[in-house]
Amino acid sequence: GRSNPVAMANPVVVFETSMGNFEAEIYADKMPITAGNFISLVKDKFYDGLHFHRVINEFMLQFGCPFSKNPKDPRNGTGGPNPNSSYEVPGKGVMKRNQEGSIPDEHTAKLSNEPFTLSMANAGPNSGGSQFFINTVHNSYLDWFDKSTESEHPVFGKIIAGTDVIKKIEAARCDDNDNPIQPIKMISVRVK
């Protein structure tokens, strides 16, 4: 008979937060550049000790800014990986982030910003780095293939366990900058 090569299973990442744990499948198969960037940051413990800096009920939870080690730092939302740092891309080897610490936009797989998906935060084309958000509703207008707005946020994973924790974080009381009044800490992020 025919032998089919066994596809590598997508990595699962465990997020341990001060409000409970959740897990996400990371789409290394469909989104190798974005997934590779994220998994490299996880393995470097980049996310450990950071805080959710932007939480908007009925919209999304944003995370991954290195300045958010201090949950009240006014620079929260502006930081990213080190300039020209390396990351491992499944099937492609090592790639380098640019001088801003950003990766190229990966507009290949048509994955919509559905509830509980992980999507790259950015500030325009090719500006994604370490920040991402978890959609809590279907934000289809953020899809790169939806032309109703200029927003283009590629989805690279989905929560597969702990959606109740996502809903708890989403309901946190926030200040006028959408920053949780009671800080929500990411204790650790690791590949399962």
Side-chain angles (χ1 to χ4, degrees), residues 46 121 151-152 186:
F46 184 92
S151 297
E152 297 186 332
M186 188 67 70

Side-chain angles (χ1 to χ4, degrees), residues 45 109 164 166:
K45 304 200 178 305
D164 57 319
I166 301 301

Side-chain angles (χ1 to χ4, degrees), residues 9-11 13 25-47 81 85-97 101-106 108 118 120 128-130 132 154-157 191:
N10 277 331
V13 169
E25 176 187 354
I26 304 302
Y27 300 146
D29 55 348
K30 298 185 192 87
M31 297 291 288
I33 294 171
T34 312
N37 172 66
F38 175 73
I39 294 291
S40 290
L41 292 167
V42 168
K43 288 181 173 167
D44 290 343
K45 304 200 178 305
F46 184 92
Y47 294 116
S85 49
S86 299
Y87 61 105
E88 182 90 32
V89 177
K92 288 190 170 67
V94 174
M95 287 180 70
K96 269 201 183 318
R97 296 179 185 97
S102 301
I103 62 168
D105 290 332
E106 195 168 19
T108 48
L118 277 62
M120 287 301 286
S130 58
F132 63 94
V155 167
F156 65 96
V191 179

Side-chain angles (χ1 to χ4, degrees), residues 71-145:
K72 304 300 178 190
D73 191 314
R75 297 172 299 172
N76 282 338
T78 64
N82 287 328
N84 306 309
S85 49
S86 299
Y87 61 105
E88 182 90 32
V89 177
K92 288 190 170 67
V94 174
M95 287 180 70
K96 269 201 183 318
R97 296 179 185 97
N98 70 14
Q99 63 279 7
E100 272 89 49
S102 301
I103 62 168
D105 290 332
E106 195 168 19
H107 295 163
T108 48
K110 287 193 173 180
L111 302 165
S112 191
N113 279 269
E114 290 173 8
F116 304 115
T117 52
L118 277 62
S119 187
M120 287 301 286
N122 61 41
N126 302 306
S127 64
S130 58
Q131 293 186 51
F132 63 94
F133 56 93
I134 300 165
N135 289 291
T136 58
V137 295
H138 193 179
N139 295 311
S140 59
Y141 63 93
L142 298 179
D143 297 342
W144 62 266
F145 48 90

